[in-house]
Amino acid sequence: MSNERNESRARRTAGTSFDDTSHLKQERAIRTRGTILNSAAAAFATEGFPQVTIKDIADGAELTKGAVYFHFPNKEALAVAVLEEFYRRMQETVNGALEHGDPASPSTFVDVLRRLARAFREDVFIHAGARLQIERPYIKAELPVPYVGTLDVLTELLDKCHKAGSLPEDTDPEAMARTLGAAVFGAQHMSWVLNNREDLVERVEEIIDAFVPLR
């Protein structure tokens, strides 16, 4: 009887050990993948997709090329993953404003623009995503469609403001969303080229000030 209990305990211990090892391997794989993506984002943001090699990304992550290929079959797959993270962070930025403000208030819309400006100034994944969008012709892979999600949110917010009477009656929310979206995305590009995005927040404030109904 004692031997049976010992064998049962041994089997349970062995099962626990196996599960723990598997869990640790999974966590390590997730961390490694994150390290590779961070390196890829930094490389794409700084050098651009055509110039970056898998070796550059591996060196930046302090890993071997084999480790990179284990997680991503090619450079295109890395670009897709970085862009997916870019759009996730863009949505997270917008959600941050929506969670703390009234969607029918112009101040919430303005908060979205300000948060986007700070994200474009500070977040390397957003730097990389903005550059990869421009370099789409060089990336032989199916990529997320740019701008659509953000413009949809801007349109929805302006439509709610319009219905709440916070904008002039003749305002076209969709047209205003396109105009403001183009202004903000254009400002981030100009700020990047001219000043490495250091003055981006100020440039977006100028856009906000130019639209008196949104102040």
Side-chain angles (χ1 to χ4, degrees), residues 32-176:
T32 300
R33 188 179 188 279
T35 299
I36 293 168
L37 279 180
N38 285 333
S39 177
F44 291 147
T46 304
E47 302 298 332
F49 181 84
Q51 288 73 32
V52 172
T53 66
I54 292 293
K55 185 178 184 305
D56 294 331
I57 293 167
D59 289 347
E62 298 183 345
L63 296 167
T64 64
K65 288 171 61 177
V68 176
Y69 281 122
F70 179 81
H71 291 273
F72 299 95
N74 50 47
K75 192 170 68 167
E76 283 75 14
L78 275 160
V80 170
V82 168
L83 274 169
E84 287 173 347
E85 179 64 13
F86 161 70
Y87 287 115
R88 189 193 70 78
R89 294 188 184 205
M90 289 280 283
Q91 187 61 53
E92 190 176 70
T93 298
V94 171
N95 289 345
L98 300 181
E99 288 169 4
H100 296 92
D102 176 2
S105 169
S107 63
T108 301
F109 183 89
V110 168
D111 189 28
V112 168
L113 300 186
R114 286 172 174 156
R115 285 171 183 260
L116 287 173
R118 290 195 296 271
F120 269 108
R121 183 184 62 186
E122 299 163 5
D123 191 322
V124 69
F125 272 92
I126 293 185
H127 297 170
R131 184 162 188 164
L132 287 171
Q133 287 184 139
I134 296 170
E135 296 173 342
R136 293 171 72 88
Y138 302 105
I139 306 170
K140 306 306 179 184
E142 186 174 347
L143 304 176
V145 179
Y147 307 120
V148 173
T150 304
L151 289 178
D152 284 346
V153 172
L154 297 183
T155 300
E156 182 179 352
L157 287 174
L158 288 173
D159 186 58
K160 289 181 178 180
C161 290
H162 188 242
K163 288 176 178 176
S166 302
L167 297 177
E169 189 175 339
D170 61 351
T171 298
D172 181 339
E174 189 173 354
M176 180 173 275

